[in-house]
Amino acid sequence: MKKGLILVYLFLGILIYSFNLSIKPIFTTYNEENTNYLFYSVTPVMDFGTLKIGPGVNLYQNEIGGKFYYGVPNRYTEDSTNVYNMFSINYLEISTDFANFKYSFMNEYTHGLGTTMYRYSKKLAKSFDLKIFKEDEYNFSVHYPYEITTYFPFTTKNSATLSWVNLDYNFDIFNMGILIATNYPYSDYHTDIVSILNVYKPFGPLNLGVEGSVIYTKAEKNNLVYGDTVGFLGGLGAAISFEYVDLRALPIIYLSKYSNLNYLDNNYEKTNNLAQNYDFLVLSEEERLGGIYDISFRYDDILDSYLRYSYEVPFNFSEIQNQKIYSKVYLKSPISEYPFSFEMSYNRILENNELVFDIFKEIFNKNTQFEYSLNYNLLTGLSLSYINYYDHISNEMKGKIALNATYQF
């Protein structure tokens, strides 16, 4: 254990005093196929203009105080004790006037108005992202989740199941975007093919448009409960952007059976999640209406926050279904001599017929994800944090002090 930490701290200490490097550290917990890991990573990104490269150090433990292993956790291979596997390319980006190629840890992805793909992500998964574009005309992109886990021996894995191609095109009178995504052939549970089309017309800061999706699912052989399904959803709405505020509203959305809002979100890859997206989708056996409301605030690098609420109702308006709240706040001290920051997130799936204002009667329950942290920033991305979070299993708040990292690749 000490050997692994000394190597990380030595590597980090040398890089802090290097020039023209931005440091991207990660110290976090990680779950792979119901096994929890403690993951440590430090990535210095060297910027050569067209080329950016980040050779990093990756280590992990199976338990606190346990033995260190090198590389990235991979259920298909044994844990590596070869110290050379500690070193890896964590970031690579090549940029030109017409194309961009990037290999890195995933960020969050939202497509169009966010009816079907909203803040999709998988923690610590790497991907290849290619963009070919012409400014103010078109943007073609490909996303493929894949990564090298060890070099000795050389092993790779699909870091997530979902890949896609996307085309955004600016016509003279309107803009159009189309995305086709699938988890084939990497999901052991079900196969999805999702197509999303949006068309909108800009009027200065205001955009008016429509968005529709087709979701096809096919149950795999080891999942005989559900058959093949096809669902459709479509809605119209508006988005408006100001200097510090963005607003989006889709008050009228039609949903056929076997479809739901936010299908591709940050729970999509969680096959062991109680509110698993696929199970909810195939159990949606009637037509419904829905709506989405979204607001975000930002101010320089001091404030970044958003709040989103979505819901579904049957045509007889007998109950409110599939209500989801996503929210996050990030505040940073504007005074460099006091490098403090505050982060808070609150996500919740509401029960059927539960009203939004009812959450103030019971702020925390089994469907709540809540966490806040007060951070002292040691360097960009790395902080000493007091973290308080809600444990829905024990139904209590728990606190801890830890090295924490927010990473954006």
Side-chain angles (χ1 to χ4, degrees), residues 34-46:
N34 297 318
T35 301
N36 290 316
Y37 300 93
L38 298 170
F39 184 73
Y40 311 85
S41 177
V42 176
T43 304
V45 178
M46 297 174 283

Side-chain angles (χ1 to χ4, degrees), residues 106 126-128 143-147 157-163:
M106 284 190 202
K126 291 180 183 176
S127 65
F128 292 93
H143 171 88
Y144 187 67
Y146 202 75
E147 66 179 289
K157 72 169 184 176
N158 279 85
S159 53
T161 63
L162 193 69
S163 56

Side-chain angles (χ1 to χ4, degrees), residues 30 70-71 123 133 200 255 306 324 339:
Y30 173 68
Y70 305 110
K123 190 174 184 179
F133 57 88
Y200 63 94
L255 298 103
Y306 64 82
K324 294 182 180 181

